[in-house]
Amino acid sequence: MVASPSGSGEWPAEPGRYRLVASLACPWAHRSIIVRRLMGLEDAISLGIVDPLQDDRSWRFSLDDGGVDPVLGYHYLEEAYLARDPVDGIENGVSVPAIVDVPSGRLVTNDFPNITIDLGREWSAYQRAGAPTLYPDELRDEIDEVADGVFHDVNNGVYKAGFATSQARYEEAYTALFARLDALDERLQDRRYLVGDHITEADIRLFTTLARFDAVYHGHFKANRQKLAEFDALWAYARDLYQTPGFGDTVDFDHIKRHYYMVQTTINPTQVVPLGPDPSAWLTRHHREELGGSPFGPDGTPPAPLPGPLRPLGPIDM
């Protein structure tokens, strides 16, 4: 991971200078897409979407015309990594999200936990009117505490279970995952959001895993004690977020399922992609507004509707 907080001066807030490269399939990258949209930073930081399928050079821009990112001029994200460090640039792999300096074409950071915090704090001068405060000072300790448990047992926990190579490791991850989900379900019985009365970093970090749970993790990663849709508060909470502008309109179930089922061939060697579950369930009533609170804070407003799809409409290899 290349850690370069914007406060360090390596990528000072400067509209038009950077490109966020992300995958709609990746939960870690999905966080940054949500925050960029909630903050209204579309005109300040451009967005490049990679193909959900990878080859031996990892993330590629094959959905764009000619297979070339129209801003960076790259075929592969690894080119930004190598522009930063031609010798060891891809030694630790090529990951998303990635912030790329457009003038130089160099990777600035792929530090996914701090990218979202920086977009919410360091770029405040360029945020839209009515943008929520996602990491308020008075709630920071509680957000960090909740997010830490979510990271270890849920965000990363599904991967620990899915890629376990022994029964003992799998059972350990499985047990921790569902213990944490049970605790979150209990926490959300009488509160609309994880911390405070509006959306924070904690909710964004949990949502991207929940959005993939029934479509991928339940079957593909053997996280199958129960589906998300079989939880009480947690499923209603997830639907509440999904129906909030900035969340559901950034979810792409097609990219999600194709990536996991077609790329991770050690788990799914046939590369057969399931047709379900039916995404219309995400639009059913949740009644979470009865708990009070407001998604964007007392003075906040929703982001404007998306003018079109987030992703290029080029072909996806089968």
Side-chain angles (χ1 to χ4, degrees), residues 19 21 61 68-74 77 80 100-103 105-106:
R19 187 155 176 82
V21 179
F61 295 104
V68 177
D69 180 86
V71 172
L72 299 173
Y74 289 154
L77 179 57
V100 180
D101 178 67
V102 174
R106 293 195 298 265

Side-chain angles (χ1 to χ4, degrees), residues 71-286:
V71 172
L72 299 173
Y74 289 154
H75 288 85
Y76 290 89
L77 179 57
E78 73 165 18
E79 295 172 67
Y81 279 67
L82 293 172
R84 177 186 175 105
D85 185 342
V87 177
D88 298 320
I90 59 174
E91 182 180 14
N92 296 316
V94 176
S95 64
V96 288
I99 298 290
V100 180
D101 178 67
V102 174
S104 67
R106 293 195 298 265
L107 171 73
V108 172
T109 180
N110 60 3
D111 186 359
F112 65 89
N114 283 316
I115 286 175
T116 54
I117 292 175
D118 285 343
L119 291 177
R121 292 174 65 89
E122 303 293 337
W123 289 73
S124 59
Y126 308 103
Q127 293 167 5
R128 66 179 180 85
T133 303
L134 298 176
Y135 198 51
D137 292 340
E138 69 275 13
L139 297 177
R140 191 180 302 184
D141 289 345
E142 187 177 2
I143 290 171
D144 289 347
E145 180 182 2
V146 171
D148 184 66
V150 167
F151 170 77
H152 289 290
D153 297 334
V154 182
N155 300 145
N156 207 28
V158 291
Y159 285 88
K160 293 176 187 176
F163 287 102
T165 56
S166 73
Q167 188 68 29
R169 291 281 182 88
Y170 163 71
E171 291 183 8
E172 179 182 12
Y174 174 102
T175 301
L177 167 64
F178 282 100
R180 183 67 62 180
L181 290 177
D182 286 340
L184 292 167
D185 191 60
E186 179 65 27
R187 181 183 182 93
L188 290 164
Q189 291 289 336
D190 59 359
R191 60 169 73 198
R192 189 172 181 184
Y193 303 108
L194 285 174
V195 181
D197 295 325
H198 69 274
I199 292 162
T200 67
E201 270 279 333
D203 299 297
I204 294 165
R205 295 185 182 204
L206 177 58
F207 175 78
T208 57
T209 295
L210 297 184
R212 290 156 176 76
F213 200 89
D214 288 0
V216 175
Y217 303 143
H218 178 269
H220 186 62
F221 278 173
K222 307 179 187 70
N224 59 357
R225 192 194 77 180
Q226 68 196 91
K227 297 177 180 178
L228 172 64
E230 294 167 348
F231 282 89
D232 180 20
L234 202 56
W235 172 226
Y237 161 83
R239 300 199 317 276
D240 186 8
L241 289 179
Y242 184 88
Q243 294 170 36
T244 299
F247 286 83
D249 53 17
T250 63
V251 173
D252 191 313
F253 288 116
D254 178 65
H255 272 219
I256 289 168
K257 291 193 294 184
R258 288 176 186 270
H259 173 72
Y260 282 94
Y261 286 101
M262 297 182 71
V263 171
Q264 296 170 358
T265 54
T266 57
I267 299 176
N268 186 43
T270 65
Q271 297 182 297
V272 172
V273 179
L275 295 177
D278 182 356
S280 66
W282 284 91
L283 298 176
T284 57
R285 284 290 305 276
H286 53 73

Side-chain angles (χ1 to χ4, degrees), residues 43-60:
D43 291 335
I45 302 175
S46 65
L47 176 65
I49 299 296
V50 292
D51 195 313
L53 306 186
Q54 300 160 291
D55 60 22
D56 56 0
R57 294 180 64 183
S58 192
W59 299 109
R60 52 188 182 164

